[in-house]
Amino acid sequence: MLTHFAAALGVLGLLTAVPGPDMAVVTRRALVAGPGDALRTVGGIATGLLLWGALSVAGLAAVLAASPTAYLVVKLLGAGYLVFLGAQALWQNRGSASHTTRTDSGSPAVGSPWRTGLVGNALNPKIAVFYSGLLPTLAPPQLPAAWAMTLLVLLHATLTLTWLGGYALLLSRAGRVLERPGTSRILGRTTGVVLIGLGLVVATTAG
């Protein structure tokens, strides 16, 4: 059983560390409102993983993964959400004088960070494919399937919290640099372009 969990840890760790939409969304929140909001976004992403995990245990994620129409709908919704976030980032960093991205109270004017992370992850159908396709193959056969899947989902959520949470805190250590209007504006625009690009990739990638 320990061998299975070690293999699962390696696979899940690799998948978690690969840059993707989640990291881009966390970067955007860190630039817009600081590490606190970025960490809450990470919490929303982890909640999305738990949601997909619950659906997988219930068998609903497998149904979605097996239905081309349902998969396409969720994929396009997810892609559209990423493009929306990217366009929002570009709009907030438009012009040479646009460098203030927080409200007077210090909180961001871009909605709930936790909801941003949750919605972005919940609209990622590839998680459904992964949880219903690959994840069961990593489950220790000594445990009941539901228990094994639950443990693996919790492991994935923990790795995500650790990795993206550490990344958000790392960004905060560069706070003085990121607070410079020019640097913040460039990074904000870059993040916006990356999010839009990821949205287009998600929308045009088959399966």
Side-chain angles (χ1 to χ4, degrees), residues 31-82:
L31 296 177
V32 169
D37 264 35
L39 289 174
R40 283 187 283 273
T41 303
V42 173
I45 292 169
T47 304
L49 293 177
L50 295 178
L51 174 62
W52 278 119
L55 292 175
S56 297
V57 172
L60 295 179
V63 173
L64 174 61
S67 171
T69 301
Y71 182 91
L72 178 62
V73 170
V74 175
K75 181 177 75 169
L76 292 179
L77 287 174
Y81 188 66
L82 290 175

Side-chain angles (χ1 to χ4, degrees), residues 1-15 130-143 145 147-149 151-153 155-156 159:
M1 186 167 68
L2 291 178
T3 302
H4 280 86
F5 271 117
L9 179 63
V11 173
L12 291 174
L14 180 61
L15 291 172
F130 171 68
Y131 275 13
S132 61
L134 179 59
L135 200 62
T137 67
L138 303 174
Q142 299 89 341
L143 296 176
W147 282 104
M149 284 290 292
L151 288 176
L152 291 179
V153 169
L155 176 61
H156 191 199
L159 289 173

Side-chain angles (χ1 to χ4, degrees), residues 145-206:
W147 282 104
M149 284 290 292
T150 299
L151 288 176
L152 291 179
V153 169
L154 291 175
L155 176 61
H156 191 199
T158 300
L159 289 173
T160 299
L161 284 171
T162 303
W163 176 257
L164 290 181
Y167 172 70
L169 293 176
L170 181 63
L171 285 180
S172 72
R173 295 181 65 86
R176 291 184 178 179
V177 175
L178 297 179
E179 286 174 359
R180 296 174 183 172
T183 302
S184 177
R185 190 162 55 248
I186 292 172
L187 290 176
R189 291 172 179 172
T190 301
T191 303
V193 171
V194 169
L195 283 167
I196 292 174
L198 287 170
L200 295 177
V201 169
V202 169
T204 56
T205 299

Side-chain angles (χ1 to χ4, degrees), residues 106-143:
S107 59
V110 291
S112 164
W114 181 85
R115 186 173 62 245
T116 297
L118 173 62
V119 172
N121 197 273
L123 291 178
N124 185 357
K126 292 190 180 296
I127 298 295
V129 174
F130 171 68
Y131 275 13
S132 61
L134 179 59
L135 200 62
T137 67
L138 303 174
Q142 299 89 341
L143 296 176

